[in-house]
Amino acid sequence: MTGYEMFWPLVAQSVLILVLYGLLGLRRSAAVKAGRAKVEQFRENREEPSESLVVRNAIANQFELPVLFYAVSIILFMTQADNLPAVIMAWIFVAARYGHAYVHVTSNNLRYRSPLFALGFLALAGLWIWLGVWLAFS
């Protein structure tokens, strides 16, 4: 490993957030153009049309569990515990977040969304456990 592999999943997670913000803008604009919403509604986030509400909720999800991902990734790098198992778990977390966000903004079907959330949660828990083990035995 060259030393910065742990940061690529962080970049990918950030790209997901940027894409979701772009999608939110597109869906809000489409709702206004179709007459289903007025621009003023978005100033105070009231009466959000359902097609943009799911995107807004998906964005909110990216500032909940992923905050712990950012923290552990940086700590893993700082403690030099960012080896291959950690990088693999980080990519699993990010892939699960992409899948979760995709389901959230399309069908929003919990049957598919919940297992993706669980996979990401387990990968994140694995990262924290890995950090704890690394610190305990270093």
Side-chain angles (χ1 to χ4, degrees), residues 72-83:
V72 77
S73 296
I74 293 167
I75 297 167
L76 285 165
F77 177 79
M78 290 173 56
T79 60
Q80 298 179 342
D82 58 333
N83 51 20

Side-chain angles (χ1 to χ4, degrees), residues 65-117:
L65 198 60
V67 171
L68 294 173
F69 170 68
Y70 299 133
V72 77
S73 296
I74 293 167
I75 297 167
L76 285 165
F77 177 79
M78 290 173 56
T79 60
Q80 298 179 342
D82 58 333
N83 51 20
L84 186 59
V87 172
I88 289 170
M89 285 186 280
W91 277 116
I92 291 169
F93 175 80
V94 171
R97 295 308 300 170
Y98 268 79
H100 182 268
Y102 176 78
V103 172
H104 206 155
V105 301
T106 56
S107 70
N108 202 17
N109 188 328
L110 288 177
R111 178 178 180 209
Y112 302 112
R113 216 174 93 201
S114 292
L116 289 164
F117 177 86

Side-chain angles (χ1 to χ4, degrees), residues 5 23 28 34-35 38-39 44 48 51 57 70 78 105 107 117:
E5 289 84 359
L23 181 61
R28 283 180 170 178
K38 295 181 181 179
V39 174
E44 296 177 13
E48 181 92 33
E51 64 268 22
N57 290 340
Y70 299 133
M78 290 173 56
V105 301
S107 70
F117 177 86

Side-chain angles (χ1 to χ4, degrees), residues 15-45:
V15 168
L16 172 60
I17 295 167
L18 296 172
V19 167
L20 287 171
Y21 271 114
L23 181 61
L24 179 63
L26 290 172
R27 288 199 179 173
R28 283 180 170 178
S29 177
V32 169
K33 287 179 184 173
R36 292 188 308 277
K38 295 181 181 179
V39 174
E40 297 80 31
Q41 289 174 240
F42 305 121
R43 186 176 310 128
E44 296 177 13
N45 286 327

